[in-house]
Amino acid sequence: MTPNKDIEDDALGRWLVNEMSEEERRAFEASDAFKTYQAISQHTENLVLEPYNVEVEYSKLKKSIAHKKESKLVQMRFYRRVSIAASVLVLLGIGSFFLLNKEVALTRHKTLQGQTKTITLPDNSVVEMNNQSALSYNAEQWKERRDVQLKGEAFFKVEKGSPFRVLMENGMIEVLGTSFNIKDRSYGTEVYCFTGKVRVTDSERNATILTKGMSAKIIDGYLDLNSKAEQMQVPLWKQGISRFENAPLADVIYELKGQFDIEIQVKSDISKRTYFGTYPNDNLEQALQLVFGSMQLEYIQESEGLVVVK
């Protein structure tokens, strides 16, 4: 409220109770505020009010209150039913979430540096794992789906039956009944078929079928269909031999570490060096000489489990 309005209200109040002097009264009655008051007063005098029936209005009030209570009760019942239904839906949703996201109990096998392992799958298929490898599968669903996940290298002898799949980061191998070897490392995947047929699919869904004596590679997620395979009866690693064809030297060192369970420290830049050749898996000194000696790289065995390449 503004100061002028406060003054006008005070003057009107004093005028109504006749507390003004004659001079103040004449001044106030000549003001715009007094003229406004007179107009309001004349208008209200002409108003005709309908008679107010207390009993009738009280009855209306009771009916209104009763209606509101009933409406509120109906609303409460409705909201209660909705809340119950919502709770059921939430519980069903939570239950479905846990059922769908329930962690599958996988059977897992792993080999460390210098280790190999032979396992028998639920259908009597046999897997021989090379060092630094990991394999897992769902034994509970094996009859419905013969799927295994592999990281590393392994030789498979698969019993005939439903499709058998080996899943890897680079692609997938699918067979019905055959024997084959998979070497899946960070630098690529190599597949060799010994018997039967093998379908090899890369991460881009390009596929090829291998028969006995054929091989394929998946490099950087893509199939290499020009791979030429040497005829073998068993995988080279099972013969005690490791072989590389223009492989990055860092990858060869990784295999050496895994095969002989050693640490290799490299002091020079080998990022552009590649190796073409073989080495025996049971003779560390000969393997080091064949790899580093042939590449004119100086090396020294500082301890039983440590090799330093200068």
PDB file of all heavy atoms in Angstrom, residues 187-224:
ATOM      1  N   TYR A 187      46.915 -60.430 -31.902  1.00  0.00           N
ATOM      2  CA  TYR A 187      47.353 -60.013 -33.233  1.00  0.00           C
ATOM      3  C   TYR A 187      46.595 -60.709 -34.360  1.00  0.00           C
ATOM      4  O   TYR A 187      46.840 -60.454 -35.532  1.00  0.00           O
ATOM      5  CB  TYR A 187      48.858 -60.252 -33.403  1.00  0.00           C
ATOM      6  CG  TYR A 187      49.323 -61.636 -32.993  1.00  0.00           C
ATOM      7  CD1 TYR A 187      49.266 -62.709 -33.871  1.00  0.00           C
ATOM      8  CD2 TYR A 187      49.828 -61.859 -31.719  1.00  0.00           C
ATOM      9  CE1 TYR A 187      49.695 -63.968 -33.495  1.00  0.00           C
ATOM     10  CE2 TYR A 187      50.273 -63.115 -31.331  1.00  0.00           C
ATOM     11  CZ  TYR A 187      50.204 -64.169 -32.220  1.00  0.00           C
ATOM     12  OH  TYR A 187      50.626 -65.418 -31.834  1.00  0.00           O
ATOM     13  N   GLY A 188      45.684 -61.629 -34.043  1.00  0.00           N
ATOM     14  CA  GLY A 188      44.910 -62.279 -35.093  1.00  0.00           C
ATOM     15  C   GLY A 188      44.519 -63.700 -34.729  1.00  0.00           C
ATOM     16  O   GLY A 188      44.865 -64.214 -33.661  1.00  0.00           O
ATOM     17  N   THR A 189      43.788 -64.335 -35.638  1.00  0.00           N
ATOM     18  CA  THR A 189      43.288 -65.694 -35.425  1.00  0.00           C
ATOM     19  C   THR A 189      43.680 -66.574 -36.607  1.00  0.00           C
ATOM     20  O   THR A 189      43.545 -66.167 -37.766  1.00  0.00           O
ATOM     21  CB  THR A 189      41.756 -65.694 -35.283  1.00  0.00           C
ATOM     22  OG1 THR A 189      41.386 -64.848 -34.193  1.00  0.00           O
ATOM     23  CG2 THR A 189      41.231 -67.095 -35.023  1.00  0.00           C
ATOM     24  N   GLU A 190      44.174 -67.775 -36.296  1.00  0.00           N
ATOM     25  CA  GLU A 190      44.511 -68.753 -37.329  1.00  0.00           C
ATOM     26  C   GLU A 190      43.691 -70.015 -37.094  1.00  0.00           C
ATOM     27  O   GLU A 190      43.581 -70.494 -35.963  1.00  0.00           O
ATOM     28  CB  GLU A 190      46.003 -69.096 -37.287  1.00  0.00           C
ATOM     29  CG  GLU A 190      46.930 -67.913 -37.537  1.00  0.00           C
ATOM     30  CD  GLU A 190      48.396 -68.310 -37.443  1.00  0.00           C
ATOM     31  OE1 GLU A 190      48.695 -69.512 -37.658  1.00  0.00           O
ATOM     32  OE2 GLU A 190      49.224 -67.447 -37.140  1.00  0.00           O
ATOM     33  N   VAL A 191      43.123 -70.557 -38.165  1.00  0.00           N
ATOM     34  CA  VAL A 191      42.309 -71.772 -38.082  1.00  0.00           C
ATOM     35  C   VAL A 191      42.839 -72.789 -39.088  1.00  0.00           C
ATOM     36  O   VAL A 191      43.062 -72.451 -40.258  1.00  0.00           O
ATOM     37  CB  VAL A 191      40.821 -71.477 -38.377  1.00  0.00           C
ATOM     38  CG1 VAL A 191      39.987 -72.744 -38.197  1.00  0.00           C
ATOM     39  CG2 VAL A 191      40.303 -70.361 -37.482  1.00  0.00           C
ATOM     40  N   TYR A 192      43.026 -74.022 -38.619  1.00  0.00           N
ATOM     41  CA  TYR A 192      43.474 -75.103 -39.502  1.00  0.00           C
ATOM     42  C   TYR A 192      42.509 -76.271 -39.336  1.00  0.00           C
ATOM     43  O   TYR A 192      42.223 -76.708 -38.218  1.00  0.00           O
ATOM     44  CB  TYR A 192      44.898 -75.542 -39.155  1.00  0.00           C
ATOM     45  CG  TYR A 192      45.482 -76.542 -40.131  1.00  0.00           C
ATOM     46  CD1 TYR A 192      46.302 -76.123 -41.173  1.00  0.00           C
ATOM     47  CD2 TYR A 192      45.199 -77.903 -40.018  1.00  0.00           C
ATOM     48  CE1 TYR A 192      46.833 -77.038 -42.077  1.00  0.00           C
ATOM     49  CE2 TYR A 192      45.719 -78.818 -40.918  1.00  0.00           C
ATOM     50  CZ  TYR A 192      46.534 -78.388 -41.948  1.00  0.00           C
ATOM     51  OH  TYR A 192      47.053 -79.292 -42.849  1.00  0.00           O
ATOM     52  N   CYS A 193      42.007 -76.789 -40.464  1.00  0.00           N
ATOM     53  CA  CYS A 193      41.063 -77.905 -40.444  1.00  0.00           C
ATOM     54  C   CYS A 193      41.809 -79.214 -40.712  1.00  0.00           C
ATOM     55  O   CYS A 193      42.488 -79.347 -41.735  1.00  0.00           O
ATOM     56  CB  CYS A 193      39.978 -77.691 -41.496  1.00  0.00           C
ATOM     57  SG  CYS A 193      38.757 -79.014 -41.574  1.00  0.00           S
ATOM     58  N   PHE A 194      41.667 -80.183 -39.799  1.00  0.00           N
ATOM     59  CA  PHE A 194      42.336 -81.476 -39.954  1.00  0.00           C
ATOM     60  C   PHE A 194      41.404 -82.524 -40.555  1.00  0.00           C
ATOM     61  O   PHE A 194      41.829 -83.344 -41.367  1.00  0.00           O
ATOM     62  CB  PHE A 194      42.870 -81.958 -38.601  1.00  0.00           C
ATOM     63  CG  PHE A 194      44.049 -81.167 -38.118  1.00  0.00           C
ATOM     64  CD1 PHE A 194      43.884 -80.051 -37.321  1.00  0.00           C
ATOM     65  CD2 PHE A 194      45.337 -81.533 -38.483  1.00  0.00           C
ATOM     66  CE1 PHE A 194      44.967 -79.312 -36.887  1.00  0.00           C
ATOM     67  CE2 PHE A 194      46.433 -80.798 -38.054  1.00  0.00           C
ATOM     68  CZ  PHE A 194      46.249 -79.683 -37.261  1.00  0.00           C
ATOM     69  N   THR A 195      40.144 -82.517 -40.142  1.00  0.00           N
ATOM     70  CA  THR A 195      39.161 -83.441 -40.715  1.00  0.00           C
ATOM     71  C   THR A 195      37.816 -82.728 -40.802  1.00  0.00           C
ATOM     72  O   THR A 195      37.554 -81.768 -40.078  1.00  0.00           O
ATOM     73  CB  THR A 195      38.995 -84.705 -39.844  1.00  0.00           C
ATOM     74  OG1 THR A 195      38.552 -84.320 -38.536  1.00  0.00           O
ATOM     75  CG2 THR A 195      40.301 -85.486 -39.742  1.00  0.00           C
ATOM     76  N   GLY A 196      36.949 -83.219 -41.699  1.00  0.00           N
ATOM     77  CA  GLY A 196      35.610 -82.656 -41.808  1.00  0.00           C
ATOM     78  C   GLY A 196      35.600 -81.278 -42.452  1.00  0.00           C
ATOM     79  O   GLY A 196      36.448 -80.947 -43.284  1.00  0.00           O
ATOM     80  N   LYS A 197      34.632 -80.470 -42.054  1.00  0.00           N
ATOM     81  CA  LYS A 197      34.482 -79.120 -42.595  1.00  0.00           C
ATOM     82  C   LYS A 197      34.340 -78.112 -41.455  1.00  0.00           C
ATOM     83  O   LYS A 197      33.735 -78.407 -40.428  1.00  0.00           O
ATOM     84  CB  LYS A 197      33.251 -79.026 -43.501  1.00  0.00           C
ATOM     85  CG  LYS A 197      33.352 -79.826 -44.786  1.00  0.00           C
ATOM     86  CD  LYS A 197      32.106 -79.620 -45.641  1.00  0.00           C
ATOM     87  CE  LYS A 197      32.208 -80.400 -46.944  1.00  0.00           C
ATOM     88  NZ  LYS A 197      31.012 -80.192 -47.806  1.00  0.00           N
ATOM     89  N   VAL A 198      34.882 -76.933 -41.705  1.00  0.00           N
ATOM     90  CA  VAL A 198      34.828 -75.858 -40.713  1.00  0.00           C
ATOM     91  C   VAL A 198      34.388 -74.574 -41.406  1.00  0.00           C
ATOM     92  O   VAL A 198      34.952 -74.208 -42.445  1.00  0.00           O
ATOM     93  CB  VAL A 198      36.211 -75.637 -40.046  1.00  0.00           C
ATOM     94  CG1 VAL A 198      36.148 -74.464 -39.083  1.00  0.00           C
ATOM     95  CG2 VAL A 198      36.673 -76.891 -39.337  1.00  0.00           C
ATOM     96  N   ARG A 199      33.387 -73.926 -40.849  1.00  0.00           N
ATOM     97  CA  ARG A 199      32.986 -72.616 -41.357  1.00  0.00           C
ATOM     98  C   ARG A 199      33.633 -71.540 -40.489  1.00  0.00           C
ATOM     99  O   ARG A 199      33.459 -71.527 -39.268  1.00  0.00           O
ATOM    100  CB  ARG A 199      31.473 -72.445 -41.322  1.00  0.00           C
ATOM    101  CG  ARG A 199      30.998 -71.051 -41.812  1.00  0.00           C
ATOM    102  CD  ARG A 199      29.514 -70.854 -41.546  1.00  0.00           C
ATOM    103  NE  ARG A 199      28.721 -71.782 -42.324  1.00  0.00           N
ATOM    104  CZ  ARG A 199      28.320 -71.566 -43.574  1.00  0.00           C
ATOM    105  NH1 ARG A 199      28.635 -70.427 -44.183  1.00  0.00           N
ATOM    106  NH2 ARG A 199      27.603 -72.459 -44.214  1.00  0.00           N
ATOM    107  N   VAL A 200      34.362 -70.633 -41.133  1.00  0.00           N
ATOM    108  CA  VAL A 200      35.035 -69.544 -40.426  1.00  0.00           C
ATOM    109  C   VAL A 200      34.341 -68.235 -40.788  1.00  0.00           C
ATOM    110  O   VAL A 200      34.209 -67.903 -41.969  1.00  0.00           O
ATOM    111  CB  VAL A 200      36.534 -69.471 -40.803  1.00  0.00           C
ATOM    112  CG1 VAL A 200      37.219 -68.360 -40.012  1.00  0.00           C
ATOM    113  CG2 VAL A 200      37.210 -70.810 -40.558  1.00  0.00           C
ATOM    114  N   THR A 201      33.917 -67.493 -39.775  1.00  0.00           N
ATOM    115  CA  THR A 201      33.217 -66.223 -39.989  1.00  0.00           C
ATOM    116  C   THR A 201      33.929 -65.125 -39.221  1.00  0.00           C
ATOM    117  O   THR A 201      34.212 -65.280 -38.030  1.00  0.00           O
ATOM    118  CB  THR A 201      31.757 -66.310 -39.507  1.00  0.00           C
ATOM    119  OG1 THR A 201      31.117 -67.424 -40.143  1.00  0.00           O
ATOM    120  CG2 THR A 201      31.000 -65.035 -39.833  1.00  0.00           C
ATOM    121  N   ASP A 202      34.227 -64.014 -39.904  1.00  0.00           N
ATOM    122  CA  ASP A 202      34.904 -62.913 -39.217  1.00  0.00           C
ATOM    123  C   ASP A 202      33.884 -61.981 -38.574  1.00  0.00           C
ATOM    124  O   ASP A 202      32.665 -62.204 -38.653  1.00  0.00           O
ATOM    125  CB  ASP A 202      35.838 -62.155 -40.168  1.00  0.00           C
ATOM    126  CG  ASP A 202      35.090 -61.467 -41.312  1.00  0.00           C
ATOM    127  OD1 ASP A 202      33.867 -61.254 -41.198  1.00  0.00           O
ATOM    128  OD2 ASP A 202      35.735 -61.137 -42.329  1.00  0.00           O
ATOM    129  N   SER A 203      34.373 -60.928 -37.939  1.00  0.00           N
ATOM    130  CA  SER A 203      33.487 -60.014 -37.214  1.00  0.00           C
ATOM    131  C   SER A 203      32.590 -59.206 -38.136  1.00  0.00           C
ATOM    132  O   SER A 203      31.603 -58.617 -37.691  1.00  0.00           O
ATOM    133  CB  SER A 203      34.320 -59.063 -36.346  1.00  0.00           C
ATOM    134  OG  SER A 203      35.235 -58.328 -37.148  1.00  0.00           O
ATOM    135  N   GLU A 204      32.920 -59.182 -39.447  1.00  0.00           N
ATOM    136  CA  GLU A 204      32.086 -58.489 -40.429  1.00  0.00           C
ATOM    137  C   GLU A 204      31.130 -59.446 -41.140  1.00  0.00           C
ATOM    138  O   GLU A 204      30.505 -59.090 -42.129  1.00  0.00           O
ATOM    139  CB  GLU A 204      32.976 -57.790 -41.467  1.00  0.00           C
ATOM    140  CG  GLU A 204      33.875 -56.717 -40.878  1.00  0.00           C
ATOM    141  CD  GLU A 204      33.086 -55.582 -40.271  1.00  0.00           C
ATOM    142  OE1 GLU A 204      32.063 -55.188 -40.871  1.00  0.00           O
ATOM    143  OE2 GLU A 204      33.486 -55.091 -39.200  1.00  0.00           O
ATOM    144  N   ARG A 205      31.045 -60.687 -40.635  1.00  0.00           N
ATOM    145  CA  ARG A 205      30.163 -61.733 -41.160  1.00  0.00           C
ATOM    146  C   ARG A 205      30.571 -62.238 -42.539  1.00  0.00           C
ATOM    147  O   ARG A 205      29.764 -62.821 -43.256  1.00  0.00           O
ATOM    148  CB  ARG A 205      28.701 -61.262 -41.177  1.00  0.00           C
ATOM    149  CG  ARG A 205      28.158 -60.971 -39.784  1.00  0.00           C
ATOM    150  CD  ARG A 205      26.675 -60.677 -39.810  1.00  0.00           C
ATOM    151  NE  ARG A 205      26.164 -60.442 -38.461  1.00  0.00           N
ATOM    152  CZ  ARG A 205      24.889 -60.179 -38.178  1.00  0.00           C
ATOM    153  NH1 ARG A 205      23.998 -60.117 -39.160  1.00  0.00           N
ATOM    154  NH2 ARG A 205      24.506 -59.973 -36.932  1.00  0.00           N
ATOM    155  N   ASN A 206      31.818 -62.013 -42.917  1.00  0.00           N
ATOM    156  CA  ASN A 206      32.360 -62.676 -44.098  1.00  0.00           C
ATOM    157  C   ASN A 206      32.715 -64.100 -43.693  1.00  0.00           C
ATOM    158  O   ASN A 206      33.282 -64.318 -42.621  1.00  0.00           O
ATOM    159  CB  ASN A 206      33.606 -61.946 -44.605  1.00  0.00           C
ATOM    160  CG  ASN A 206      33.310 -60.504 -44.974  1.00  0.00           C
ATOM    161  OD1 ASN A 206      32.388 -60.229 -45.734  1.00  0.00           O
ATOM    162  ND2 ASN A 206      34.081 -59.574 -44.419  1.00  0.00           N
ATOM    163  N   ALA A 207      32.384 -65.075 -44.535  1.00  0.00           N
ATOM    164  CA  ALA A 207      32.568 -66.471 -44.141  1.00  0.00           C
ATOM    165  C   ALA A 207      33.231 -67.270 -45.254  1.00  0.00           C
ATOM    166  O   ALA A 207      33.134 -66.936 -46.440  1.00  0.00           O
ATOM    167  CB  ALA A 207      31.229 -67.100 -43.768  1.00  0.00           C
ATOM    168  N   THR A 208      33.923 -68.337 -44.845  1.00  0.00           N
ATOM    169  CA  THR A 208      34.499 -69.286 -45.782  1.00  0.00           C
ATOM    170  C   THR A 208      34.444 -70.666 -45.149  1.00  0.00           C
ATOM    171  O   THR A 208      34.391 -70.792 -43.918  1.00  0.00           O
ATOM    172  CB  THR A 208      35.953 -68.919 -46.132  1.00  0.00           C
ATOM    173  OG1 THR A 208      36.420 -69.780 -47.175  1.00  0.00           O
ATOM    174  CG2 THR A 208      36.863 -69.069 -44.925  1.00  0.00           C
ATOM    175  N   ILE A 209      34.444 -71.700 -45.976  1.00  0.00           N
ATOM    176  CA  ILE A 209      34.395 -73.078 -45.482  1.00  0.00           C
ATOM    177  C   ILE A 209      35.741 -73.747 -45.750  1.00  0.00           C
ATOM    178  O   ILE A 209      36.243 -73.738 -46.881  1.00  0.00           O
ATOM    179  CB  ILE A 209      33.263 -73.869 -46.157  1.00  0.00           C
ATOM    180  CG1 ILE A 209      31.905 -73.279 -45.749  1.00  0.00           C
ATOM    181  CG2 ILE A 209      33.327 -75.342 -45.757  1.00  0.00           C
ATOM    182  CD1 ILE A 209      30.722 -73.961 -46.395  1.00  0.00           C
ATOM    183  N   LEU A 210      36.312 -74.310 -44.699  1.00  0.00           N
ATOM    184  CA  LEU A 210      37.580 -75.022 -44.812  1.00  0.00           C
ATOM    185  C   LEU A 210      37.321 -76.522 -44.783  1.00  0.00           C
ATOM    186  O   LEU A 210      36.478 -77.004 -44.031  1.00  0.00           O
ATOM    187  CB  LEU A 210      38.511 -74.654 -43.648  1.00  0.00           C
ATOM    188  CG  LEU A 210      38.798 -73.168 -43.408  1.00  0.00           C
ATOM    189  CD1 LEU A 210      39.742 -73.008 -42.226  1.00  0.00           C
ATOM    190  CD2 LEU A 210      39.379 -72.520 -44.655  1.00  0.00           C
ATOM    191  N   THR A 211      38.057 -77.242 -45.604  1.00  0.00           N
ATOM    192  CA  THR A 211      38.035 -78.703 -45.562  1.00  0.00           C
ATOM    193  C   THR A 211      39.417 -79.188 -45.132  1.00  0.00           C
ATOM    194  O   THR A 211      40.313 -78.384 -44.842  1.00  0.00           O
ATOM    195  CB  THR A 211      37.657 -79.282 -46.935  1.00  0.00           C
ATOM    196  OG1 THR A 211      38.580 -78.797 -47.918  1.00  0.00           O
ATOM    197  CG2 THR A 211      36.246 -78.865 -47.329  1.00  0.00           C
ATOM    198  N   LYS A 212      39.600 -80.482 -45.090  1.00  0.00           N
ATOM    199  CA  LYS A 212      40.842 -81.071 -44.596  1.00  0.00           C
ATOM    200  C   LYS A 212      42.067 -80.450 -45.272  1.00  0.00           C
ATOM    201  O   LYS A 212      42.140 -80.347 -46.496  1.00  0.00           O
ATOM    202  CB  LYS A 212      40.828 -82.576 -44.839  1.00  0.00           C
ATOM    203  CG  LYS A 212      42.081 -83.287 -44.347  1.00  0.00           C
ATOM    204  CD  LYS A 212      42.003 -84.784 -44.607  1.00  0.00           C
ATOM    205  CE  LYS A 212      43.272 -85.486 -44.137  1.00  0.00           C
ATOM    206  NZ  LYS A 212      43.213 -86.948 -44.383  1.00  0.00           N
ATOM    207  N   GLY A 213      43.014 -80.003 -44.448  1.00  0.00           N
ATOM    208  CA  GLY A 213      44.258 -79.449 -44.958  1.00  0.00           C
ATOM    209  C   GLY A 213      44.202 -77.976 -45.308  1.00  0.00           C
ATOM    210  O   GLY A 213      45.200 -77.415 -45.771  1.00  0.00           O
ATOM    211  N   MET A 214      43.062 -77.326 -45.092  1.00  0.00           N
ATOM    212  CA  MET A 214      42.933 -75.904 -45.414  1.00  0.00           C
ATOM    213  C   MET A 214      43.008 -75.065 -44.134  1.00  0.00           C
ATOM    214  O   MET A 214      42.694 -75.539 -43.040  1.00  0.00           O
ATOM    215  CB  MET A 214      41.606 -75.630 -46.131  1.00  0.00           C
ATOM    216  CG  MET A 214      41.472 -76.308 -47.478  1.00  0.00           C
ATOM    217  SD  MET A 214      39.845 -75.988 -48.247  1.00  0.00           S
ATOM    218  CE  MET A 214      39.921 -74.210 -48.471  1.00  0.00           C
ATOM    219  N   SER A 215      43.429 -73.815 -44.308  1.00  0.00           N
ATOM    220  CA  SER A 215      43.509 -72.910 -43.162  1.00  0.00           C
ATOM    221  C   SER A 215      43.043 -71.521 -43.570  1.00  0.00           C
ATOM    222  O   SER A 215      42.930 -71.203 -44.762  1.00  0.00           O
ATOM    223  CB  SER A 215      44.938 -72.835 -42.612  1.00  0.00           C
ATOM    224  OG  SER A 215      45.774 -72.152 -43.526  1.00  0.00           O
ATOM    225  N   ALA A 216      42.782 -70.701 -42.586  1.00  0.00           N
ATOM    226  CA  ALA A 216      42.381 -69.313 -42.827  1.00  0.00           C
ATOM    227  C   ALA A 216      42.856 -68.473 -41.657  1.00  0.00           C
ATOM    228  O   ALA A 216      43.083 -68.975 -40.551  1.00  0.00           O
ATOM    229  CB  ALA A 216      40.869 -69.203 -42.993  1.00  0.00           C
ATOM    230  N   LYS A 217      42.988 -67.188 -41.919  1.00  0.00           N
ATOM    231  CA  LYS A 217      43.374 -66.241 -40.879  1.00  0.00           C
ATOM    232  C   LYS A 217      42.339 -65.124 -40.801  1.00  0.00           C
ATOM    233  O   LYS A 217      41.706 -64.776 -41.800  1.00  0.00           O
ATOM    234  CB  LYS A 217      44.749 -65.634 -41.168  1.00  0.00           C
ATOM    235  CG  LYS A 217      45.900 -66.619 -41.109  1.00  0.00           C
ATOM    236  CD  LYS A 217      47.223 -65.905 -41.380  1.00  0.00           C
ATOM    237  CE  LYS A 217      48.395 -66.877 -41.326  1.00  0.00           C
ATOM    238  NZ  LYS A 217      49.683 -66.185 -41.596  1.00  0.00           N
ATOM    239  N   ILE A 218      42.196 -64.583 -39.599  1.00  0.00           N
ATOM    240  CA  ILE A 218      41.390 -63.382 -39.400  1.00  0.00           C
ATOM    241  C   ILE A 218      42.317 -62.335 -38.799  1.00  0.00           C
ATOM    242  O   ILE A 218      42.787 -62.483 -37.669  1.00  0.00           O
ATOM    243  CB  ILE A 218      40.193 -63.631 -38.464  1.00  0.00           C
ATOM    244  CG1 ILE A 218      39.306 -64.749 -39.012  1.00  0.00           C
ATOM    245  CG2 ILE A 218      39.377 -62.352 -38.292  1.00  0.00           C
ATOM    246  CD1 ILE A 218      38.146 -65.115 -38.099  1.00  0.00           C
ATOM    247  N   ILE A 219      42.593 -61.299 -39.571  1.00  0.00           N
ATOM    248  CA  ILE A 219      43.495 -60.234 -39.139  1.00  0.00           C
ATOM    249  C   ILE A 219      42.706 -58.930 -39.051  1.00  0.00           C
ATOM    250  O   ILE A 219      42.047 -58.534 -40.021  1.00  0.00           O
ATOM    251  CB  ILE A 219      44.679 -60.065 -40.116  1.00  0.00           C
ATOM    252  CG1 ILE A 219      45.391 -61.408 -40.325  1.00  0.00           C
ATOM    253  CG2 ILE A 219      45.636 -59.001 -39.597  1.00  0.00           C
ATOM    254  CD1 ILE A 219      46.027 -61.975 -39.083  1.00  0.00           C
ATOM    255  N   ASP A 220      42.768 -58.298 -37.892  1.00  0.00           N
ATOM    256  CA  ASP A 220      42.031 -57.043 -37.670  1.00  0.00           C
ATOM    257  C   ASP A 220      40.545 -57.198 -37.973  1.00  0.00           C
ATOM    258  O   ASP A 220      39.896 -56.277 -38.487  1.00  0.00           O
ATOM    259  CB  ASP A 220      42.615 -55.906 -38.518  1.00  0.00           C
ATOM    260  CG  ASP A 220      44.039 -55.558 -38.117  1.00  0.00           C
ATOM    261  OD1 ASP A 220      44.356 -55.699 -36.920  1.00  0.00           O
ATOM    262  OD2 ASP A 220      44.826 -55.158 -38.997  1.00  0.00           O
ATOM    263  N   GLY A 221      40.010 -58.381 -37.683  1.00  0.00           N
ATOM    264  CA  GLY A 221      38.579 -58.609 -37.853  1.00  0.00           C
ATOM    265  C   GLY A 221      38.151 -59.048 -39.234  1.00  0.00           C
ATOM    266  O   GLY A 221      36.964 -59.287 -39.464  1.00  0.00           O
ATOM    267  N   TYR A 222      39.110 -59.187 -40.191  1.00  0.00           N
ATOM    268  CA  TYR A 222      38.759 -59.544 -41.563  1.00  0.00           C
ATOM    269  C   TYR A 222      39.427 -60.854 -41.974  1.00  0.00           C
ATOM    270  O   TYR A 222      40.578 -61.120 -41.617  1.00  0.00           O
ATOM    271  CB  TYR A 222      39.176 -58.434 -42.536  1.00  0.00           C
ATOM    272  CG  TYR A 222      38.379 -57.164 -42.371  1.00  0.00           C
ATOM    273  CD1 TYR A 222      38.826 -56.155 -41.521  1.00  0.00           C
ATOM    274  CD2 TYR A 222      37.181 -56.974 -43.052  1.00  0.00           C
ATOM    275  CE1 TYR A 222      38.098 -54.983 -41.359  1.00  0.00           C
ATOM    276  CE2 TYR A 222      36.449 -55.807 -42.898  1.00  0.00           C
ATOM    277  CZ  TYR A 222      36.911 -54.815 -42.052  1.00  0.00           C
ATOM    278  OH  TYR A 222      36.186 -53.662 -41.890  1.00  0.00           O
ATOM    279  N   LEU A 223      38.698 -61.637 -42.751  1.00  0.00           N
ATOM    280  CA  LEU A 223      39.211 -62.914 -43.239  1.00  0.00           C
ATOM    281  C   LEU A 223      40.337 -62.716 -44.249  1.00  0.00           C
ATOM    282  O   LEU A 223      40.265 -61.843 -45.118  1.00  0.00           O
ATOM    283  CB  LEU A 223      38.090 -63.707 -43.910  1.00  0.00           C
ATOM    284  CG  LEU A 223      37.310 -64.707 -43.056  1.00  0.00           C
ATOM    285  CD1 LEU A 223      36.134 -65.251 -43.848  1.00  0.00           C
ATOM    286  CD2 LEU A 223      38.204 -65.839 -42.590  1.00  0.00           C
ATOM    287  N   ASP A 224      41.360 -63.545 -44.117  1.00  0.00           N
ATOM    288  CA  ASP A 224      42.428 -63.613 -45.112  1.00  0.00           C
ATOM    289  C   ASP A 224      42.243 -64.929 -45.850  1.00  0.00           C
ATOM    290  O   ASP A 224      42.578 -65.998 -45.342  1.00  0.00           O
ATOM    291  CB  ASP A 224      43.793 -63.550 -44.423  1.00  0.00           C
ATOM    292  CG  ASP A 224      44.948 -63.643 -45.421  1.00  0.00           C
ATOM    293  OD1 ASP A 224      44.673 -63.688 -46.634  1.00  0.00           O
ATOM    294  OD2 ASP A 224      46.107 -63.672 -44.976  1.00  0.00           O
TER     295      ASP A 224
END
